[in-house]
Each structure stands twice: as C-alpha cells, then as structure tokens.
Amino acid sequence: MAEIRVLLIDDEEELVSTLVERLGIRNIEAEYVMTGAEGIELLGKKEFDAVLLDYKLPGMSGLEVMKQINELYPRVKVLLITGAGSVDEGGDEVPEEKASDVLLKPIDIEVLIAKLREAVGDR
Amino acid sequence: MNMPADGKQIDFREHGLTFFGTITASVTHELNNVMGIIEQTAGLLDDLCVGVDYGRPIEIEKLREISGRVVMQVDRGVDIIKRLNFFAHSVDESVREFELNALLKNLVSLAQRFATLKKISLEGRFNDFEHTVKTNPFILEQVVFICIQLAITPTEKDSRVILTSQQESTGSVILITGPPVPENDETKSKMELLRALMGLIKGDIELTAEDDRIYFKLTVPNISNEE
C-alpha cells in the first residue's frame, strides 16, 4: 500500500504529470486534475490524505478550492503551491492557518515529500 | 500629469509603470512554470538513472519522450521571451510607425493568461495585409490591455473576447467585443483612464452595448513625432 495518497490540482499539465510520475517512483500514490471543480469532485469519490493545490487556477481560484476542501473534507491536508510573487499578484494573502504549508515553484521533490509527511503525520 | 474634468490628476507615468509591471509579472510567472517543468523533467531523468543502478533498465522510447518534453518547454520559453522582448521595445520611441496587427497579436498572447485564469476565451482575428500606423505604441498597448481587462469578465453567457482591426478614413480602428462590463467604480475609473490615454494619442474611444455584448471601438489616427 502507498505511504501517502495525494491529489495534485494544477493547470500546468506537464508539471503535474511529471510530479505524479516522480512521486509514484517514491511509493506515493498521486493523481492529478487541472481544475478545482474536478479536484473537489474526485475528492468525493476517492480517498486522499493530502492535496497539492496551485494558488492560481483558472475559474475557481486556489483559495476558493482550499476553502471548499477544508469545509467538505477537513481530514484532507492542503498544501498550496505558488510561483514567487504570485500571492502579491492576486492582491490576496494566503491564509497559512488554513493551508498546511505553502510551497514556492519550482518545487524540490524531496522538500515536497518532507512537507507531505509532516502534514499527513499531523492529522 | 493630466487634469481631467473632475479635477483628479492622472499620473500617466505611474500607470505606464503599473502596466509594464503587470505584464512582466505575468510573463515571468509563465517562465517560472517552464523552468519548473524542465527541472521536474530533469529530476525524472535522474530518478530513472538511479533505477538503472538498481537493475531497472531505461527504455529508449521513454528517453525520447522525456527529450521531447524538454524541447517543447524550451520552445515555449523562447516564445514567451520573444513576446516580452517585442513588448519591451514598445517604449523605445514615444512615436513611431509600426505594423498594428503584429502589436495586437503580441498583446493578445500576453493577455492570454489573464483571460485563461477567468476561463474566458481571448481571440485575435486579424487579416493578412500590412496595416501600419504611426502613434505611441506603449500608450496604445495600455489602452487595448485595459479594454481586454474590462472585457474578460466571467459570465454565464457568451464569454468570448474578440479583437479585430480595420482601416477607416479616420484612421486605424481596433474593435474589442466581449461580455457585458459590470457597472461599478472600477469600470468608471478605467473608462476615465482610457479616455485620457486615447486623448494623448489624439484618438477616440466608443463603448456600446448590444445583445448582451459590449463593443469597444478605438480609432487611432496617425500622429507626428511632435505631438
């Protein structure tokens, strides 16, 4: 059985598909979707321990998606990912108390795994 | 500085800098994504090499696929840099002659990410013939971008934003059509800014609404370097 089950929500398909492959090599079960709506739908169908969520998503923003996940699936840990500066770009503050962690792109896979273990271990 | 009818001063330099910053931030965000993908792809290659040490051979097809992914991202990065470079050169001279459709196509590409984030389709439909205009390209870019910003309002109805251009006796005309613009203070202040910017290049802006669509018509006359 996989150590952690993680759902990646990001519209950069090449990025998330490669991350899914690399996480799989490390025995972390990962899947990806490209919109917040798809992510919330999938969380209703499958069990995940954590969500890696892009701050800037088309349509429903990362913050809106995080709010819905926190309400509907409070067990699931949310880690936000963002490009440097894009938090300011959107004019919003990332409410860190609602996210287990905030990671900056480009993502170091070992740092990501450490953060995932830390977040999931916190439950 | 400029003093419109309501007495509020418009700092064009500040607006220009804000616009330049907005575009640069967006482009560098895209470039950061490209770099992130290349980094992960290199990481995957490294993971596969580690697998070889443990007796898991790498298939040649997999290597070809990974190399293809890198080439695709490098091409994407080069395209993004070309767009930014074209845009950066628009401040070289305050007034110059340039091909209007080339400038509009570049601006549509630069604005694409803003539209995508609002799930709106942004499209430029330009004819093939050369369409030269002599004006201030940076001011024109600001005007068109603000119109696009106003037009990319999420709506349940037809959410396409379309840019076209044509030649009329009064000058070059740019048409931008999109979903209805919300009537609020932000729209009001952007319209004020648009009129003031168009005034700087002796142009004209008309905003009309019809069948749940809005139409911006920008008339851009040729101006001389002294204006």
Side-chain angles (χ1 to χ4, degrees):
Chain A
M1 195 185 153
E3 180 197 352
I4 301 172
R5 293 157 302 178
V6 59
L7 174 63
L8 285 75
I9 310 178
D10 194 317
D11 63 323
E12 276 288 346
E13 190 169 20
E14 284 285 324
L15 178 73
V16 275
S17 63
T18 310
L19 268 174
V20 162
E21 213 172 335
R22 297 192 72 199
L23 289 167
I25 290 171
R26 289 161 174 81
N27 198 32
I28 290 177
E29 193 181 304
E31 280 188 50
Y32 75 87
V33 288
M34 289 163 65
T35 66
E38 288 173 300
I40 288 161
E41 193 187 334
L42 192 58
L43 284 165
K45 292 176 182 165
K46 284 185 82 168
E47 282 278 320
F48 288 96
D49 302 301
V51 169
L52 188 63
L53 175 65
D54 189 19
Y55 177 78
K56 288 261 172 186
L57 282 174
M60 206 193 302
S61 76
L63 290 184
E64 288 172 72
V65 177
M66 182 171 75
K67 198 173 160 224
Q68 288 206 26
I69 295 173
N70 284 335
E71 278 171 18
L72 297 167
Y73 311 103
R75 259 191 80 255
V76 177
K77 298 291 176 180
V78 180
L79 283 85
L80 272 179
I81 43 172
T82 174
S86 64
V87 171
D88 299 333
E89 207 184 316
D92 297 318
E93 290 288 321
V94 174
E96 289 195 43
E97 74 277 10
K98 298 285 180 190
S100 293
D101 227 311
V102 179
L103 296 164
L104 281 182
K105 284 182 184 175
I107 299 165
D108 182 311
I109 191 97
E110 301 309 334
V111 171
L112 169 63
I113 291 170
K115 299 277 187 190
L116 280 170
R117 283 187 181 133
E118 195 182 310
V120 172
D122 276 352
R123 284 191 309 196
Chain B
M1 293 272 198
N2 185 57
M3 188 79 79
D6 67 359
K8 270 192 291 176
Q9 287 184 330
I10 295 178
D11 188 337
F12 292 112
R13 178 176 279 269
E14 190 190 312
H15 278 290
L17 268 175
T18 304
F19 169 59
F20 207 92
T22 301
I23 296 293
T24 311
S26 170
V27 169
T28 50
H29 184 98
E30 268 190 86
L31 276 176
N32 197 35
N33 280 341
V34 170
M35 294 304 160
I37 294 168
I38 293 173
E39 193 198 33
Q40 289 308 324
T41 312
L44 175 62
L45 201 53
D46 197 44
D47 292 347
L48 296 173
C49 290
V50 171
V52 171
D53 294 339
Y54 289 91
R56 290 189 296 272
I58 308 178
E59 294 193 5
I60 196 81
E61 271 314 303
K62 185 73 189 169
L63 285 180
R64 281 204 186 102
E65 183 215 315
I66 292 173
S67 142
R69 283 193 220 174
V70 173
V71 170
M72 206 169 79
Q73 291 307 317
V74 170
D75 288 348
R76 180 182 166 199
V78 168
D79 187 51
I80 294 168
I81 290 165
K82 275 185 190 165
R83 274 188 260 147
L84 181 62
N85 184 267
F86 185 105
F87 171 71
H89 280 295
S90 58
V91 292
D92 286 354
E93 292 169 78
S94 58
V95 175
R96 70 179 163 92
E97 198 171 75
F98 56 90
E99 214 281 299
L100 180 65
N101 287 348
L103 179 132
L104 294 175
K105 276 179 198 166
N106 197 58
L107 200 58
V108 166
S109 300
L110 290 169
Q112 208 57 252
R113 186 170 158 263
F114 297 89
T116 304
L117 283 171
K118 292 194 172 173
K119 282 194 134 181
I120 289 195
S121 133
L122 172 64
E123 198 188 323
R125 292 181 187 166
F126 307 111
N127 45 37
D128 288 335
F129 74 92
E130 291 260 312
H131 194 156
T132 51
V133 60
K134 190 173 182 185
T135 188
N136 184 317
F138 187 57
I139 289 177
L140 186 59
E141 282 172 331
Q142 287 180 67
V143 168
V144 176
F145 185 75
I146 296 167
C147 291
I148 292 173
Q149 276 184 318
L150 284 169
I152 55 173
T153 308
T155 170
E156 294 299 311
K157 293 175 182 156
D158 185 356
S159 57
R160 287 168 310 144
V161 172
I162 300 162
L163 260 86
T164 53
S165 71
Q166 63 198 48
Q167 190 67 51
E168 287 186 8
S169 57
T170 45
S172 300
V173 169
I174 302 162
L175 294 163
I176 301 154
T177 162
V181 173
E183 283 175 33
N184 55 30
D185 287 349
E186 198 191 335
T187 303
K188 226 171 109 182
S189 102
K190 278 190 171 151
M191 284 307 298
E192 256 176 39
L193 177 62
L194 280 172
R195 288 196 182 94
L197 286 166
M198 283 305 278
L200 290 180
I201 54 171
K202 315 284 179 216
D204 186 40
I205 178 166
E206 282 172 48
L207 175 62
T208 53
E210 200 180 299
D211 298 332
D212 277 333
R213 303 277 295 165
I214 51 133
Y215 297 84
F216 288 99
K217 183 181 177 186
L218 309 172
T219 306
V220 188
N222 286 321
I223 57 174
S224 66
N225 295 64
E226 288 74 41
E227 283 176 282

